[in-house]
Amino acid sequence: RVSWLVDNREVWLVPVVNPDGLDYSMTTDQRWRKNRRPNYDGSFGVDLNRNYAGSMNGDPDGNWGGVGSSHTPSEDIYCGQTPFSEPETLAIRNIVLAHDFRLAIDFHSYSELVLWPWGYTMNATPDNGDFVRIGNEFAALNGYTAEQSVGLYPTTGDSIDWMYGGEDIY
């Protein structure tokens, strides 16, 4: 079964979207979540998972820079100056736009979670039943917990809301 899947699917793995932030968290500040690009106020970094273009599903509450993000550069949840302002999120956007992805899986390794949209509201997506089933199946394989993204904390501008709401990717 696995051989058939590998032979008949194209699989892209992005093991780390934030390499400089990961390096900094491993050597200096274990709770660091942003990249390390200098900000205009002398602070460092943008929280990359708040730098995507929002849910793009027509709900203004899901727009970039809303709930669960900050426009203050020194804050841990700083969303950047504009959506896709960071080279890391721009690279992911360009990969997504260049391919016809059908499924994206978000493993939140720090909290050991499998997450699905929406991150900005407790409202379920039209595909919530599928997300619950798929999330639980993946969680059973790796021992993580499956939950709607907002269950971790509310956020706008995260990758899974943008991919689902903006690019129609499960």
Side-chain angles (χ1 to χ4, degrees):
R1 184 175 177 198
V2 171
S3 294
W4 183 89
L5 286 171
V6 171
D7 291 344
N8 291 281
R9 299 289 182 266
E10 186 172 307
V11 177
W12 286 68
L13 299 176
V14 180
V16 177
V17 174
N18 186 9
D20 62 337
L22 176 62
D23 184 60
Y24 187 78
S25 74
M26 293 176 71
T27 60
T28 306
D29 181 353
Q30 190 174 31
R31 296 190 50 82
W32 188 262
R33 62 184 305 129
K34 302 191 297 183
N35 65 5
R36 292 295 298 163
R37 197 161 100 160
N39 293 319
Y40 64 85
D41 69 348
S43 66
F44 287 89
V46 168
D47 183 339
L48 299 178
N49 215 31
R50 286 165 170 78
N51 190 242
Y52 293 83
S55 64
M56 300 179 68
N57 66 339
D59 182 345
D61 290 338
N63 290 345
W64 170 84
V67 66
S69 65
S70 172
H71 293 276
T72 304
S74 60
E75 295 283 329
D76 285 346
I77 55 175
Y78 176 51
C79 60
Q81 292 187 350
T82 62
F84 302 111
S85 63
E86 303 308 293
E88 300 92 339
T89 57
L90 189 58
I92 296 298
R93 186 199 72 176
N94 291 344
I95 289 169
V96 167
L97 295 179
H99 299 278
D100 187 23
F101 292 116
R102 303 282 188 205
L103 175 71
I105 301 165
D106 184 351
F107 294 114
H108 192 279
S109 56
Y110 185 82
S111 297
E112 298 186 341
L113 299 171
V114 179
L115 302 173
W116 60 82
W118 299 118
Y120 72 93
T121 180
M122 294 292 292
N123 295 338
T125 68
D127 299 305
N128 192 64
D130 288 339
F131 288 140
V132 169
R133 181 182 49 78
I134 293 166
N136 283 319
E137 287 175 6
F138 273 102
L141 295 172
N142 67 3
Y144 281 21
T145 300
E147 67 181 38
Q148 185 177 340
S149 180
V150 72
L152 178 59
Y153 43 68
T155 184
T156 54
D158 64 54
S159 62
I160 58 176
D161 278 14
W162 171 72
M163 284 189 227
Y164 178 71
E167 297 304 316
D168 200 29
I169 299 171
Y170 253 53

